[in-house]
Amino acid sequence: MVIKTITSLIFLLLFIALAAGARTKLKWSLEASDYADGICKLMVETQGYSCEEHKVTTKDGYILSIQRIPTGRSGGKTKGAKPPVLLQHGLMSNAITWLSNSPDESLGFILADNGFDVWLANVRGTNYSSGHTSLSPDDPEYWNWSWDERVAYDLPALFQYVYDQTGEKLHYVGHSLGTLMAFGAFSRKEVLNMVRSAALLSPIAYMGQMPSPLARAAADAFIAEDLYWLGLKEFAPGGGAASKLVDEVCSKIDCTNLESVITGPNCCMNSSKANLDHQQPTATKNMIHLAQMIRQGTIAMFDYGNEDDNNKHYGQPNPPEYNMTSIPNDLPLFLSYGGKDLLSDVKDVQTLIDTLSDHDPDKLVLLYRDDYAHLDFVYGVNAKQVVYNPLMAFFHLN
Ligand SMILES: *[C@@H]1O[C@H](CO)[C@@H](O)[C@H](O)[C@H]1NC(C)=O
Ligand SMILES: *[C@@H]1O[C@H](CO)[C@@H](O)[C@H](O)[C@H]1NC(C)=O
Ligand SMILES: *[C@@H]1O[C@H](CO)[C@@H](O)[C@H](O)[C@H]1NC(C)=O
Ligand SMILES: *[C@@H]1O[C@H](CO)[C@@H](O)[C@H](O)[C@H]1NC(C)=O
């Protein structure tokens, strides 16, 4: 049990550290003045779009930033209400994910230009959402969460905010961990009264069959254990401990093409853009949680590792599972997945699809791209043609 825990922990830490690569240290802890230059100023207004910065406070005190692009480049040529759509980025990422390519290639801008009211979420821990009502990111407690809390607090707060602002049910787009958050929330009947449909790109639910080269490499990395027991709560790419881990691991394996080692060989990204430079910190606990899922192949809440502690937290000896079968059969779902994706593996996606076998056939759209890997879904220069146009057609029908 202990060995297994340590192995998964190592895998997890390695996974993160590799994702971060040997990058320069990110300045994520923001001065108050930095917020004035948020994502709107940095990424949206520079492209000629109007943009609003909003703040949402979760029930457990995290202050999340959310950006709104209310109209397209051509301005307010609106006939009738614009359907709101909430875009939720993935692990160690932020809303910049949706804005990185040109306006004709990036989903955030494409949706705005096609008559949607676009809302871009940034979850707890990311550099534009590092506020809290009483904690600072320097407090270990600030990092005491996994994606369970994003399901229980972040997503409901974000949905409620956009719903209150617009008076309309939301379309949702998630990438990677942003899909797991949605599956978790929908299975617990959270936010269902506010959701119109959901498009899930590189869906992550079951992770038990994730291809293993990294896991093998991770088994060689013994130092991660120390990181945990030393009480490292935050996992920041390029941060001290992470850099050390990367140095050690990359002295043993070839890290020159990290991106494809981790995500799969992305076919269609613009090679002149180093997208992994956008890596954001996350909680070590979140990574441990993901490692548990990889190890166990289940979708359950964070496992405290023993019956006593699980009893204390959950009133039962094992962590409660998220039951994918309880996602309502009539919720319109669009799943797009890729044949080269090493994080959202085809076999794991098939397990998910099998679990959804009772879903109303006309409420479940599957779009498979043989050549796509994990990041092509957000950064692919042809993603508009192959994924976003069908995605918008799906939204228009629902
Ligand atoms: C972390 O959060 C859990 C509840 O999710 C709580 O039981 C525990 O005491 C917290 N630990 C710390 C160190 O704050
Ligand atoms: C790739 O990015 C560069 C720099 O931003 C840009 O000039 C070029 O047009 C992009 N290519 C494609 C195919 O999008
Ligand atoms: C926040 O992270 C993004 C990468 O996602 C980076 O481009 C930006 O400069 C960072 N902002 C600050 C103020 O650190
Ligand atoms: C999962 O949900 C389905 C549908 O609501 C239900 O029939 C099934 O018993 C649930 N499974 C578990 C393990 O709770």
Side-chain angles (χ1 to χ4, degrees):
M1 183 63 192
V2 172
I3 297 292
K4 273 175 128 187
T5 305
I6 290 171
T7 307
S8 68
L9 184 59
I10 290 168
F11 174 82
L12 165 48
L13 291 173
L14 178 72
F15 171 76
I16 304 206
L18 285 175
R23 307 278 165 168
T24 51
K25 186 168 169 56
L26 258 184
K27 173 178 171 272
W28 58 268
S29 188
L30 298 182
E31 305 298 323
S33 59
D34 290 334
Y35 286 105
D37 297 320
I39 288 176
C40 278
K41 279 239 154 49
L42 191 66
M43 301 298 296
V44 182
E45 288 166 10
T46 46
Q47 301 283 5
Y49 291 74
S50 63
C51 187
E52 303 166 8
E53 292 279 351
H54 295 253
K55 291 267 183 256
V56 180
T57 303
T58 67
K59 283 201 176 116
D60 58 346
Y62 290 81
I63 302 168
L64 311 180
S65 79
I66 179 168
Q67 291 78 35
R68 179 190 203 180
I69 311 176
T71 52
R73 270 174 294 191
S74 55
K77 50 132 205 174
T78 36
K79 293 208 286 299
K82 287 164 161 284
V85 51
L86 178 67
L87 304 192
Q88 178 57 63
H89 63 76
L91 183 66
M92 303 196 79
S93 182
N94 64 12
I96 290 175
T97 291
W98 309 108
L99 308 166
S100 294
N101 283 338
S102 74
D104 294 324
E105 296 166 334
S106 304
L107 185 59
F109 297 119
I110 290 169
L111 287 169
D113 283 334
N114 282 273
F116 291 91
D117 179 7
V118 177
W119 296 79
L120 305 160
N122 298 269
V123 291
R124 60 182 61 197
T126 59
N127 67 352
Y128 296 105
S129 293
S130 58
H132 189 279
T133 50
S134 64
L135 298 170
S136 119
D138 294 333
D139 298 319
E141 259 183 80
Y142 175 90
W143 299 100
N144 183 18
W145 48 264
S146 77
W147 62 267
D148 288 336
E149 281 72 26
R150 291 184 174 176
V151 167
Y153 301 112
D154 291 11
L155 214 51
L158 292 161
F159 265 88
Q160 191 68 54
Y161 185 84
V162 176
Y163 184 70
D164 290 346
Q165 292 280 314
T166 61
E168 299 263 345
K169 287 189 177 189
L170 284 62
H171 294 294
Y172 179 88
V173 183
H175 176 239
S176 188
L177 198 66
T179 70
L180 180 58
M181 289 168 60
F183 289 129
F186 299 157
S187 76
R188 286 175 34 148
K189 318 283 187 198
E190 296 268 12
V191 310
L192 286 175
N193 58 327
M194 295 178 278
V195 67
R196 204 159 147 180
S197 78
L200 305 160
L201 311 179
S202 274
I204 302 266
Y206 299 96
M207 297 169 79
Q209 301 184 74
M210 188 179 279
S212 62
L214 265 182
R216 280 197 303 273
D220 293 335
F222 283 103
I223 59 167
E225 183 192 355
D226 289 339
L227 297 182
Y228 180 64
W229 298 115
L230 285 172
L232 181 77
K233 301 296 185 194
E234 175 200 357
F235 207 99
S243 300
K244 180 164 172 293
L245 183 61
V246 169
D247 287 349
E248 300 209 6
V249 169
C250 294
S251 70
K252 298 190 190 79
I253 67 168
D254 182 5
C255 294
T256 46
N257 198 355
L258 278 175
E259 206 162 86
S260 95
V261 173
I262 297 158
T263 66
N266 297 291
C267 61
C268 303
M269 281 166 55
N270 185 337
S271 56
S272 70
K273 299 191 173 170
N275 292 295
L276 282 184
D277 283 345
H278 293 308
Q279 293 290 312
Q280 294 289 313
T282 191
T284 306
K285 188 173 179 181
N286 189 34
M287 300 309 290
I288 295 170
H289 190 182
L290 293 171
Q292 292 170 349
M293 296 171 65
I294 294 167
R295 188 181 75 215
Q296 291 157 5
T298 55
I299 312 174
M301 291 188 166
F302 184 82
D303 188 347
Y304 284 88
N306 63 71
E307 296 196 353
D308 278 357
D309 285 334
N310 282 331
N311 269 320
K312 221 178 290 166
H313 283 95
Y314 306 121
Q316 57 184 73
N318 295 306
E321 297 206 2
Y322 293 95
N323 183 353
M324 292 300 116
T325 318
S326 65
I327 294 175
N329 288 334
D330 60 355
L331 176 66
L333 296 177
F334 174 97
L335 303 186
S336 189
Y337 60 113
K340 302 288 186 293
D341 194 333
L342 292 182
L343 297 179
S344 175
D345 184 62
V346 172
K347 292 201 208 87
D348 281 326
V349 174
Q350 192 55 51
T351 304
L352 173 67
I353 293 169
D354 293 345
T355 311
L356 298 174
S357 62
D358 287 338
H359 212 81
D360 296 355
D362 58 343
K363 299 290 182 193
L364 181 61
V365 176
L366 302 177
L367 180 64
Y368 173 71
R369 283 293 304 184
D370 195 37
D371 58 341
Y372 261 35
H374 202 65
L375 298 178
D376 290 313
F377 288 94
V378 281
Y379 299 125
V381 293
N382 62 348
K384 178 169 192 292
Q385 287 71 35
V386 304
V387 179
Y388 305 156
N389 283 340
L391 180 157
M392 289 190 288
F394 162 82
F395 281 166
H396 285 307
L397 285 175
N398 289 289

